[in-house]
Amino acid sequence: MNVPTRITDGPERQMLEYMLDHTRAELIDTVRGLSETESRRRLVPSMTTSIGLVKHAAFAERKWFQHILGGLPESECDGAMVGEASFVVSDNETVADVIAEFERASNRARTIAANVDLDATRGHPAVGTVSLRWIYLLMIQEFARHAGHSDILREQTGATRRT
């Protein structure tokens, strides 16, 4: 993992946005350089794959920023709003396609959040009242966790390349 060293002090919002962008980049980096086959390899009992983790992250961006924060109906969000099925990548999607989908969702999230105060709240049907600050923290946690999962899958993939 690259240790975030560019911004280590500053206003809270700047720090949260920097760390979120950093974890987004770390997640993308876990699939760069993998072949299409490697990115789809299931190395754990679940359906988790490296490409699937990035696909799911794009869904999370849409769910939390477009739907919850931005108030868009799910039908007007920029992609599938399918929950746990968001880990599934179709055969015709490439690593580049999924990275581009995640980057588009991230860019839209930045745009939606740009004019929202950190303390602004929205309702979530299962979680309750959440602030933008909480959404930022959740996404940092989520993307860091998934980058860690994907790092392990990549390490396992590297081990199979050598054998």
Side-chain angles (χ1 to χ4, degrees), residues 77-137:
C77 292
D78 288 344
M81 299 297 287
V82 292
E84 291 305 307
S86 63
F87 287 93
V88 177
V89 179
S90 71
D91 291 341
N92 64 340
E93 291 178 290
T94 66
V95 170
D97 293 336
V98 173
I99 288 172
E101 176 186 354
F102 180 50
E103 289 175 334
R104 279 190 307 275
S106 298
N107 287 335
R108 183 112 188 251
R110 285 184 201 95
T111 300
I112 290 168
N115 296 315
V116 177
D117 188 80
L118 286 176
D119 293 321
T121 59
R122 303 292 191 269
H124 184 281
V127 179
T129 302
V130 298
S131 67
L132 174 57
R133 178 183 289 104
W134 187 87
I135 293 170
Y136 277 160
L137 291 169

Side-chain angles (χ1 to χ4, degrees), residues 135-152:
I135 293 170
Y136 277 160
L137 291 169
L138 176 69
M139 292 295 92
I140 291 166
Q141 173 203 16
E142 179 94 354
F143 298 157
R145 193 170 104 234
H146 290 327
H149 295 149
S150 195
D151 280 339
I152 291 167

Side-chain angles (χ1 to χ4, degrees), residues 7-22:
I7 300 175
T8 58
D9 188 29
E12 178 186 21
R13 185 175 189 121
Q14 180 184 19
M15 298 292 291
L16 289 169
E17 290 174 349
Y18 171 76
M19 195 56 68
L20 179 53
D21 281 340
H22 180 76

Side-chain angles (χ1 to χ4, degrees), residues 5-98:
T5 56
R6 292 188 192 158
I7 300 175
T8 58
D9 188 29
E12 178 186 21
R13 185 175 189 121
Q14 180 184 19
M15 298 292 291
L16 289 169
E17 290 174 349
Y18 171 76
M19 195 56 68
L20 179 53
D21 281 340
H22 180 76
T23 58
R24 286 169 171 146
E26 288 293 326
L27 181 56
I28 289 170
D29 283 348
T30 66
V31 296
R32 286 197 198 279
L34 292 177
S35 71
E36 296 299 326
T37 300
E38 290 170 336
S39 74
R40 287 171 166 72
R41 189 169 291 145
R42 287 184 49 204
L43 298 168
V44 294
S46 71
M47 297 290 292
T48 304
T49 63
S50 290
I51 195 173
L53 289 163
V54 178
K55 181 81 171 176
H56 173 72
F59 158 75
E61 294 272 23
R62 290 189 296 269
K63 177 75 173 182
W64 286 101
F65 289 98
Q66 293 179 31
H67 181 59
I68 300 299
L69 188 65
L72 291 175
E74 288 188 356
S75 62
E76 292 181 24
C77 292
D78 288 344
M81 299 297 287
V82 292
E84 291 305 307
S86 63
F87 287 93
V88 177
V89 179
S90 71
D91 291 341
N92 64 340
E93 291 178 290
T94 66
V95 170
D97 293 336
V98 173

Side-chain angles (χ1 to χ4, degrees), residues 146-163:
H146 290 327
H149 295 149
S150 195
D151 280 339
I152 291 167
L153 295 174
R154 188 176 185 112
E155 184 177 331
Q156 290 175 321
T157 297
T160 61
R161 282 179 180 167
R162 292 188 288 274
T163 58

